[in-house]
Amino acid sequence: MEIQDLKIKAAQIRQDLLTIIHRAKTGHTGGSLSNTDILTALYYEIMNIDVANPKWEERDRFVASKGHSVESLWCILADRGFFPKEELKTYSQFGTRLIGHPNNKVPGIEMNTGALGHGLPISVGMALAAKRDGRSYRVFCLMGDGEQAEGSNWEAAMAGAHYKLDNLVGIIDRNGLQISGTTEEVMGLEPLEEKWAAFGWNVISIDGNSMEELVQTFRNVPEIEGKPTLVLANTIKGKGVSFAEGVPGWHHHVPNDEELERGLTELQQKIDELSGEGQVK
């Protein structure tokens, strides 16, 4: 897809995730909005996957360690055809597969996540298995910045460098906010880039809401043979919805009717602007 098309797709996914959160009256809105560009770049342009064969052995793996921000992932998997889009209406309803965290009963999900700090350690194992089995797939692991307070991430970081896992890409959605405030108030992380570099990773700091930078960065990994990559994706929590951007309360705020309509309208205006030819269906 062209960069312009990816930007339009990201705006459409944001519309979908607002809609399912509003319908379900639950969800993690701010973080899903901030990670949408990352997931759009991966699932529509970068990752080697086969929707018709979700368990294909050579597929690239994606692990959402930041499992609570699942709504953008559900919307993308549905749009790609892993399950019917109609099923999005069941999000967080009784008996649904589409619960509030990734569920590996759904095609396209590699592992159940939600307990923070577990995704990267398992991703290290997946990447190491690929190396030992002589397979070419890559492993992408999306983490939250608040999640960096979990010690298991740093054990995994040490192991990833030790085993020279250049097929492993860690991504931090660095929006600076978590449920109870800024990351630096709750548990200071800086200098985050230097910490990961000290653990032996090739660190690339980018604008995580820039589709151009995301695609270029992911296309070029690994930059250094024998080193895992850490993409420090600097994002804005609530990205794409003006009144939610950078507001801590939108961590798990559910938009009311008025907020939904306003958010959908803003995103549609963005789509129209990007398309240059009126409303995109």
Side-chain angles (χ1 to χ4, degrees), residues 11 24 45-46 57 65 72 105 115 117 137 139 154 167 193 205 208-209 222 229 234-235 238 254 278:
E45 185 62 25
I46 299 299
E57 289 188 353
S65 187
S72 47
K105 292 181 174 149
Y137 66 79
V139 183
W154 300 102
N167 58 340
E193 185 172 346
S205 182
N209 293 129
T229 298
N234 296 285
T235 62
V254 175

Side-chain angles (χ1 to χ4, degrees), residues 234-246:
N234 296 285
T235 62
I236 297 173
K237 198 152 193 167
K239 178 66 176 179
V241 177
S242 64
F243 50 92
E245 290 187 350

